[in-house]
Amino acid sequence: MGVEIKESAVSDAEFEEMKRFVRDYLTASVESEEDGGRMRWYPWHSAEYRFNHILNVVKLATRIAEREGADVDVVRVAALFHDISKLEAEQEVHAEEGARVAREYLTTHGDFPQSFVEQVCQVVADHSYQGPLDDVSLETQSLIEADILDKVGANGAALMLLRMGYEARTHMDAAEMVERVLERGRDATDRINSDAAESIAHERLKRVKWFREWLEGEVPQMDHESDHESDPEGGAEADDGEPDPRVDSDKR
């Protein structure tokens, strides 16, 4: 008895077309606003950054789905659409808005099974869920874990170092900022559920720890704890792990 090979619901060409649509949609979201976009004033909340984040999440979510036995097509398409409305909708509803856009696209492009469309839209709508990952589908879990992991590791460290420039900090604060990436990563490992995601998290945390130790070893008097004296909360952060200078004045 041979092994049944599941035919992909989404061809490579169709997926590339979806990627172009998402990229163009994000760009249009920014260009259509007179002030340059809802959060464009904060450098990495641009269409370029958001699309890069989406591609990172697609890659991570696909890797997790393949190892955990989730429906890979559902996961990678949901990952592609998960933040498509991030630059035009309020944070509290961007997941639902993303699901709406995904449904509109999938029902008007190609001939995708209705069950596939429903699954993708449900995963997109649920990706902001903050409860235990045992309570969601394996596909949703794969996407949530990937979304968390994109802020852990080199990408998270780069974002924190960008924040230094935005806040006019000196390089002496670099190790402390990187330490925050480690703290976020440790928190992430407490939430993620799959063996695949845990493996990725530990791999990335190890690299960030090495980077912080490298900074401390080469920059005299660098102390990653010094900044906590003036900022006991470690700074406000947006729900998806990006630093947010708006602190408590904005409902994110």
Side-chain angles (χ1 to χ4, degrees):
M1 182 176 177
V3 177
E4 182 180 354
I5 300 176
K6 177 181 177 290
E7 184 178 352
S8 175
V10 182
S11 69
D12 290 342
E14 288 172 327
F15 195 69
E16 287 301 314
E17 185 180 350
M18 290 180 196
K19 284 167 64 174
R20 287 191 292 271
F21 172 80
V22 171
R23 182 193 60 211
D24 292 345
Y25 192 99
L26 291 168
T27 300
S29 295
V30 171
E31 292 177 347
S32 66
E33 302 242 352
E34 291 182 2
D35 61 358
R38 186 172 64 86
M39 297 191 294
R40 184 65 178 272
W41 58 275
Y42 204 43
W44 38 93
H45 284 287
S46 63
E48 182 180 12
Y49 167 75
R50 187 54 50 187
F51 187 60
N52 181 257
H53 163 69
I54 286 171
L55 294 184
N56 289 345
V57 172
V58 168
K59 184 176 180 179
L60 286 164
T62 300
R63 179 176 170 186
I64 294 168
E66 288 174 343
R67 288 186 56 183
E68 297 299 322
D71 188 314
V72 174
D73 271 338
V74 169
V75 170
R76 69 181 186 135
V77 173
L80 192 56
F81 281 94
H82 85 281
D83 269 359
I84 193 169
S85 295
K86 187 84 169 185
L87 298 177
E88 65 177 5
E90 293 301 321
Q91 172 60 32
E92 292 82 1
V93 297
H94 86 278
E96 291 81 0
E97 281 299 300
R100 180 189 61 77
V101 176
R103 182 182 301 279
E104 209 169 275
Y105 180 93
L106 294 173
T107 54
T108 57
H109 294 72
D111 187 24
F112 301 107
Q114 188 60 35
S115 59
F116 173 78
V117 174
E118 294 300 330
Q119 273 189 286
V120 168
C121 294
Q122 190 63 58
V123 173
V124 174
D126 291 343
H127 87 269
S128 290
Y129 174 71
Q130 296 299 311
L133 297 189
D134 286 333
D135 295 342
V136 299
S137 70
L138 192 53
E139 289 73 26
T140 300
Q141 174 182 297
S142 299
L143 176 52
I144 292 175
E145 290 179 334
D147 206 14
I148 292 171
L149 289 172
D150 186 44
K151 304 306 183 300
V152 177
N155 193 40
L159 287 173
M160 278 299 191
L161 295 178
L162 277 174
R163 180 181 180 180
M164 286 175 57
Y166 185 85
E167 296 180 349
R169 293 171 179 257
T170 73
H171 72 292
M172 298 298 289
D173 293 323
E176 187 274 333
M177 299 298 276
V178 174
E179 174 64 19
R180 294 189 190 178
V181 181
L182 281 170
E183 292 171 358
R184 180 190 303 155
R186 295 184 192 110
D187 290 341
T189 58
D190 289 338
R191 185 168 186 234
I192 57 181
N193 204 38
S194 72
D195 291 340
E198 286 186 5
S199 176
I200 295 170
H202 288 304
E203 178 183 287
R204 291 183 167 210
L205 284 172
K206 184 177 180 180
R207 292 172 180 168
V208 176
K209 184 178 180 181
W210 172 81
F211 181 51
R212 186 202 64 197
E213 291 172 351
W214 181 32
L215 286 170
E216 292 175 334
E218 294 195 8
V219 182
Q221 300 180 348
M222 182 174 284
D223 182 359
H224 71 261
E225 294 181 354
S226 62
D227 192 65
H228 288 296
E229 296 175 5
S230 59
D231 184 11
E233 297 300 322
E237 306 217 347
D239 77 292
D240 55 1
E242 295 152 13
D244 190 338
R246 291 173 292 181
V247 195
D248 295 325
S249 62
D250 185 4
K251 290 184 178 180
R252 288 162 298 189

